Each structure stands twice: as C-alpha cells, then as structure tokens.
Amino acid sequence: MMVMTLKLDGKTVREAVDKQKDSIFSTLSELVAFNSPRGEAGNREAALWVKEAFEKFGIEMEAHETSDGTLALVGTRAGEADAPEVLLYSHYDVVPAGDPEKWDSAPFTLTKRDGRWYGRGAADCKGNIATHLAVLETVEKLGGTRANLRIVIEGSEEVGGEGLDSLIESNPELFKADVICIVDAGNAKAGVPTITSSLRGGGQMDITITTMASPAHSGEFGGPAPDATFALIRTLDSLRDEDGFVVIDGLDNTVRWEGQQYSAEDFAKDAGVLEGVDIIAGDKGTPSDQLWSRVAVTVTGFSSTPVEEAVNAVPNIARARVNFRVPEKMDAHEVAEKLKAHVENHVPFNAQCEIELSEVSQPFSAKLDGPAIQLLEEALSAAYDGAEVVKVGMGGSIPLTTKLQGLYPDSEIALYGVEEPAANIHSPNESVDPEEIYAIAVAEALLLLSI
C-alpha cells in the first residue's frame, strides 16, 4: 500500500489560512445571501455564483441541467500525470429558512454573534463551499498541489439529491476519483477533529388510516364509532416500548455502538432538550447506540382535524409521515418492509390502512484503512494542534456516498466538514464556528499539498 505523509507543518498552513479570515467571511456572506432551496430563484443564482468562484482558480466548471431542475456543477483541473485524482464535494442548496420571526437575525444575512456566524446554510453546506475556496487559495500560495482536482457542487442534496443521482447514472465518468472528499459532515463537537465512519440510510413512510365514510357526530356516535385519529395514535405508539425505545416486529433493534460515545449530557445539550425533560437513554441503550447502531423512527408529520377547525365529530381519517433511519450493516429495504408489516399488524379496529414508502436509501460504511484517509487523519490532527482524531457515525443520510461506493469500490471516501452539534443545522439560528472553517481548511489544504 502506498504510504503518504504530510509535506508541510500545520502552523505554516494555518498562517496562510489566517490571512484570509476577512475574505472567508465575505465569501460566505455572499453565498448565504442566496435563498437557495430547490425551487427558489436563489438556487440557480447560487449555482452561477459557485461556478464563477471556482473558475477563478483555474477549475473548468461545467453546469449540468439535472432531472430535478437544478444545476450540478462539475469541474476539473489537471495536475501531474502520476498524481491521484481528488474529488471535493459540497452542495449549495439549503433547507427553507422558515418563519423569520424565529431567527434572532435575518436568515440570509451572515451575522457575527457570540463568536459564531449565523445564517441559513452557514454550516450546511455553504460553509463547506467557502472552506473549499479558502483551501484553493491557500494551496496556490504555498506552491500548489500535484493532485488532479475534480469539484462537484450540487443543488438538491437537501431534497434527496435526485438530480445528481440521475447525472451519476448517465455520466458516471464525471465522478471517478481515487479520493472522494464528501465535505458535508463535521466534528463530534467543536474543536474535536473527526472523521465520519458511517451514515444512516432510511426513508419515508406515509400512513393513512380510514374508518368511516365521513366524520360522525360525537354526541350521536361517539364511543362505539372507530376514531381514526385514535387508531393512528395507537398504531404509532406500538413502535415504542414502555421506555420509549423503538421496537419493530421481527427486527433486532438492540445493537450496541462500540466506537466513540456521545454522552447523554452532551446529547441533551446539543439537541436543545428542555430542562427536566428526559432523553430516551439508559440500560437499554445509549444515545450512541440509538444514533449509529439502531433503527430510529420519527413522526415528522401528523394530520387530522386541526384544532382551529375542531367540531364535535369523530374523525374518519388521519395521516402521518414517519421518517426512519437505518444504521450501517442493515438493509434499508428489508427494514422498510418490516416496518410496513409492523404498522399493518398493529392497526386497531380492523381499520383501513394505506402505506406508501418513498426515498428509501442504504446506509454507508467508510473504509478507513487507505493511505489517503490515513493522510487526512494526520492532517486533521495537525490542524487541531495535535489533537487525537475521533471516528464517529453520523445520524444523517448522504445517498451520494453509497452510489459512488458502488460505482468505484476502490476509491477512498472521506467524510468531514465544518458542521458540529452547536451549528443547529436545518433549524432557526443555524450557525458556524469560524474556527471550524479555518481548521478544516488547514486540514484539507495539508491533504492536497501532501498527496
């Protein structure tokens, strides 16, 4: 196996990155200003901005129209003939900002506050794009890289990445690389250098329960009439035991996580659990077990009669959307079928139940023994002043990883980035710790300068 080692020290590279602090803030400010969920005008505007930004570094960027109406940007820059090809990935789309009243500052204005930078996409994933750009600037200042660079920045990751998936299927050669850096992850906590070792797969399940042709007057029929809302609540309740742990008929959901642990105290703080409210943890399972080794089930949507429209009638129909997450070493399609069967078998009153599965994706397990991954680990440690690099799972899903691993099994796939628990991604007041941007830029620059 080829042996790689760092060719520069972290201090030299950090000095080069530190000179860019003002320009990094300016770059990220411009990018955060685009309201860029898929379907918004800012999505296309952000894509064109990203294209121009990378072209300034001699990257030949091509914008590919995708099947979901977004632009996937794929760029290349030739290095030395015998050098590895390195792919750097991020995405410019974001989840919607939601109600601006829930933000302490304007979501599309990057705002400094309490040592952090606030704005939609500041961490996920525009902060990672700003990091890539800072890396290219740093590498140029320090002598350049031998690597053959490939840049992939997509615009629909937050809604499943269907557009990029279809482009991979039609043009797989655009994504071939020896080292694939998926920069849409982050550290276990700020200041702790981290490589993500696994990702959960998962999917969506829509459940509709119907009991009567129409609502029935609760005075005349309440009692014996089968309440669809109650039936759905009881069905959903069957997916948790008396202590709140997820149970699915026919599935062993008691696997333990053997790696770096996520303490209950840290989890409660990072998740924003209210004081006095218990998290679901204990002898049956730790937060790490449930995040990285077990199937998780979350009710993400529920509808029956809105409270504002309530009348004295027994509901005849109720719906729920269930998001499920599948850990590494499990088959997402098998889990989906067992979950579906469990729901069907626990519907009370012989009520009619319709189930629709969608967006089922497989989990990902990284191979961490390759020379480039080991070089990245060395680079991350140097960027964080010699700190030990930890390896943890990540609860989210990035379907791109499994697709590329299937196409190019010999490629080394690395997951890291500027996101960490305090970033509050996908929620109001999303933020990034600028020190994470600087340190990850140092690590990635070290990787490119040494490869």
Side-chain angles (χ1 to χ4, degrees), residues 211-407:
T211 56
M212 298 178 290
S214 62
H217 190 283
S218 62
E220 293 185 46
F221 301 104
D227 181 329
T229 300
F230 183 87
L232 180 55
I233 291 170
R234 175 167 285 186
T235 301
L236 295 172
D237 184 59
S238 74
L239 290 166
R240 302 264 182 172
D241 69 12
E242 66 278 4
D243 296 312
F245 289 84
V246 172
V247 290
I248 299 172
D249 293 344
L251 179 75
D252 179 8
N253 209 31
T254 62
V255 180
R256 295 285 186 170
W257 174 258
E258 300 297 335
Q260 177 81 14
Q261 293 295 310
Y262 195 168
S263 74
E265 294 76 17
D266 284 346
F267 177 84
K269 178 182 177 182
D270 294 340
V273 178
L274 298 178
E275 186 176 354
V277 177
D278 295 332
I279 67 169
I280 300 167
D283 293 340
K284 291 182 180 179
T286 65
S288 304
D289 296 334
Q290 297 183 81
L291 284 170
W292 305 322
S293 289
R294 300 182 185 179
V295 174
V297 175
T298 304
V299 180
T300 57
F302 190 99
S303 61
S304 180
T305 306
V307 172
E308 296 78 11
E309 301 172 17
V311 294
N312 293 328
V314 180
N316 70 309
I317 188 168
R319 298 186 177 91
R321 171 161 292 180
V322 170
N323 173 264
F324 58 97
R325 301 285 180 164
V326 179
E328 62 175 334
K329 301 177 183 177
M330 286 193 186
D331 182 277
H333 294 283
E334 181 180 341
V335 170
E337 288 305 316
K338 287 183 177 180
L339 178 59
K340 180 174 182 287
H342 176 105
V343 170
E344 291 171 336
N345 291 332
H346 286 267
V347 176
F349 317 141
N350 288 318
Q352 295 180 8
C353 177
E354 295 182 12
I355 295 176
E356 182 178 345
L357 288 164
S358 61
E359 300 178 24
V360 178
S361 63
Q362 295 290 9
F364 168 80
S365 295
K367 301 172 184 176
L368 302 177
D369 57 354
I373 300 293
Q374 293 179 17
L375 180 65
L376 174 63
E377 184 172 347
E378 193 178 345
L380 281 165
S381 178
Y384 285 88
D385 299 322
E388 181 182 357
V389 176
V390 302
K391 301 176 181 69
V392 300
M394 190 169 83
S397 304
I398 306 176
L400 169 71
T401 54
T402 53
K403 187 172 286 288
L404 291 180
Q405 190 176 63
L407 278 172

Side-chain angles (χ1 to χ4, degrees), residues 54-99:
F54 280 94
E55 286 175 339
K56 293 175 183 176
F57 292 98
I59 311 289
E60 296 182 11
M61 298 291 287
E62 185 174 357
H64 298 264
E65 289 278 356
T66 68
S67 60
D68 62 9
T70 62
L71 292 178
L73 307 171
V74 181
T76 57
R77 190 178 78 186
E80 297 182 14
D82 62 342
E85 188 158 31
V86 180
L87 186 155
L88 303 178
Y89 165 90
S90 287
H91 62 88
Y92 61 82
D93 65 309
V94 296
V95 298
D99 183 358

